[in-house]
Amino acid sequence: MNINSPADANIHRSPTDINSKPLAEQPKAIIGKATTQIEKAQQVEKDRLAQMDGAK
C-alpha cells in the first residue's frame, strides 16, 4: 500500500503524522486513522439521510 498515492493527496496530515511513529506502531496508527475516517463518513451520511427524510 502506497500511503503517498495521489488519492491520499487530499488527506490533511497532522504534526503527529503516521510516519513519525515507531515502525512497530505504524500499522495500528494506520488502522486507527482509517477507522476514524470511516466513522466520520458514516456520520455525515447519517446526517444527510436525516436531512433528506426531514425535507419530505
Side-chain angles (χ1 to χ4, degrees):
M1 182 170 136
N2 182 0
I3 62 171
N4 294 321
S5 68
D8 293 331
N10 61 354
I11 297 174
H12 300 287
R13 289 190 165 79
S14 66
T16 57
D17 190 28
I18 291 170
N19 293 328
S20 68
K21 296 198 178 290
L23 187 58
E25 292 180 19
Q26 287 183 7
K28 184 177 179 182
I30 291 168
I31 291 171
K33 182 177 179 181
T35 300
T36 300
Q37 290 173 336
I38 290 168
E39 289 170 349
K40 286 180 183 179
Q42 288 174 333
Q43 185 62 46
V44 167
E45 182 179 8
K46 184 178 176 181
D47 292 346
R48 286 182 183 162
L49 286 173
Q51 286 178 348
M52 289 173 59
D53 286 341
K56 289 183 180 180

